Amino acid sequence: MSIDEFDVAVIGGSYAGISAATQLARARRRVLVIDAGQRRNRYALHSHGFLGQDGREAAAIAADGKAQLMKYPTVQWLEGAATQAAAADDGFDVATADGASFRARRLVLATGMVDELPAVPGLAERWGSSVFHCPYCHGYELEQGRIGVLATSALSMHHALMLPDWGTVTLFLNGAFEPDEEQLGKLAQRGVTVERTPLRAISGVATVELQDGRALEQAGLFVLSRLHSASPLAEQLGCDMEQGPMGSYVRTDMTKASSIAGVYVCGDAARMAGSVALAVADGAMAGVGAHHSLIFGAAAA
Ligand code: FAD
Ligand code: MG
């Protein structure tokens, strides 16, 4: 093996990638982690709902994982973005934006997703501090106050019907859809106020400024983002995708194997809706799956 050859290259070194690499390191395999340092939750200071780490700084959870991983001598960490991945003899060639290239017998993609928010002035600036997508992650801290759901499509019914468990909810339709009689009935049953006046901007902590001049103060806002793959690698490799309501993600089997033999995909990149706990679990599975495949052979999902 030359210096640049690895058993497994893990692309993406956040929760899912670190978890995958840890399993492989513990099997004494040569692992390269390439990470561009853009965790999806970097806009939120604290992370909630992950066993033993509830309410801790999101960055600290990842930093601890990385520090523990780097104690294993067979792991190398490279800061940067992988821009190319292609099948090669007995493995895969990976190239980075800096012009470095590596060969690995297996790939684990843990590259995550990017959120695209509706273009309401003031919304993006508050993403992760008072504008959220996940009630389980950030609903509790709103202390049962006023919660605005900003509709992007009829899918926002889901948010509107869930969030009354966390506060007093107004559904701002903003022209995104018009609930039918049955939906209006369900919203009324859950005590949700429906507001049809379009939004002008978000100001203050989470004040919704309407086009008729009213300003409705909220403790927080929830909005569904469109999700896009954070990297083109799965598509480059030809991995089958799954179409979800918020965007497409890589199809995997229970071992996190993709449709391309030898390529494992884990975390947000390979599920409809993710969390730190699920990324860590998927990563552990992908690490074990990739390791098994080195011994028993790789199968495609
Ligand atoms: P990420 O954490 O997104 O990491 C992907 C990594 O891969 C990044 O470091 C990225 O730079 C890297 N990468 C991507 N492409 C490349 C490439 N080509 N080359 C090299 N590296 C690359 N979940 C919770 O459980 N609790 C919470 O409280 C919570 N709060 C959230 C708040 C916000 C605002 C958001 C948006 C999400 C929140 N989440 C929360 C969800 C959580 O962030 C994700 O589920 C989790 O980060 C997924 O982990 P991951 O490892 O799959 O991907
Ligand atoms: Mg990761």
Side-chain angles (χ1 to χ4, degrees):
M1 242 186 214
S2 91
I3 191 77
D4 291 330
E5 286 193 25
F6 295 87
D7 290 316
V8 182
V10 176
I11 318 297
S14 174
Y15 310 107
I18 293 170
S19 178
T22 299
Q23 303 301 325
L24 290 155
R26 292 189 49 70
R28 300 182 189 275
R29 291 294 183 156
R30 294 201 57 202
V31 185
L32 172 68
V33 181
I34 305 177
D35 183 49
Q38 301 284 297
R39 273 181 300 105
R40 185 178 165 209
N41 62 355
R42 64 191 180 280
Y43 304 95
L45 182 58
H46 295 105
S47 168
H48 294 97
F50 181 34
L51 186 74
Q53 307 285 323
D54 188 38
R56 217 173 151 220
E57 287 193 11
I61 299 172
D64 276 1
K66 179 180 175 183
Q68 290 174 5
L69 172 68
M70 296 316 290
K71 287 185 184 152
Y72 292 91
T74 57
V75 181
Q76 274 185 48
W77 188 283
L78 184 76
E79 278 175 28
T83 49
Q84 296 282 332
D89 292 345
D90 193 29
F92 300 90
D93 283 333
V94 179
T96 69
D98 302 337
S101 58
F102 306 92
R103 179 161 295 184
R105 294 172 63 201
R106 300 289 184 267
L107 282 186
V108 173
L109 304 181
T111 45
M113 302 296 272
V114 172
D115 294 279
E116 184 196 328
L117 298 174
V120 174
L123 193 73
E125 295 89 316
R126 291 167 177 78
W127 182 238
S129 55
S130 59
V131 177
F132 312 103
H133 72 294
C134 167
Y136 302 97
C137 302
H138 301 285
Y140 189 89
E141 282 64 39
L142 300 178
E143 305 288 356
Q144 298 183 292
R146 289 184 197 284
I147 295 176
V149 171
L150 172 49
T152 51
S153 74
L155 285 176
S156 297
M157 278 296 294
H158 192 70
H159 259 161
L161 294 176
M162 288 220 303
L163 277 153
D165 275 12
W166 283 276
T168 303
V169 175
T170 302
L171 172 61
F172 295 92
L173 292 174
N174 202 32
F177 79 107
E178 180 54 43
D180 61 22
E181 283 307 311
E182 192 191 336
Q183 289 170 321
L184 287 172
K186 286 180 180 165
L187 290 166
Q189 232 172 46
R190 290 286 281 160
V192 176
T193 302
V194 176
E195 176 59 64
R196 288 184 177 74
T197 309
L199 271 63
R200 200 169 62 74
I202 311 301
S203 62
V205 172
T207 297
V208 178
E209 295 184 11
L210 298 174
Q211 279 180 9
D212 61 11
R214 283 178 296 150
L216 305 179
E217 249 179 65
Q218 311 289 311
L221 295 174
F222 283 80
V223 64
L224 284 175
S225 56
R226 286 292 305 168
L227 292 172
H228 304 280
S229 299
S231 97
L233 300 182
E235 283 92 341
Q236 279 176 20
L237 289 157
C239 296
D240 284 354
M241 307 297 287
E242 200 93 67
Q243 197 58 50
M246 276 90 77
S248 56
Y249 54 93
V250 181
R251 181 173 68 80
T252 56
D253 68 10
M254 277 173 61
T255 71
K256 303 312 288 178
S258 74
S259 61
I260 302 297
V263 178
Y264 294 77
V265 189
C266 54
D268 281 8
R271 58 164 55 251
M272 189 165 63
S275 73
V276 174
L278 295 170
V280 168
D282 291 347
M285 190 68 253
V288 169
H291 180 236
H292 284 188
S293 81
L294 287 166
I295 300 164
F296 304 112

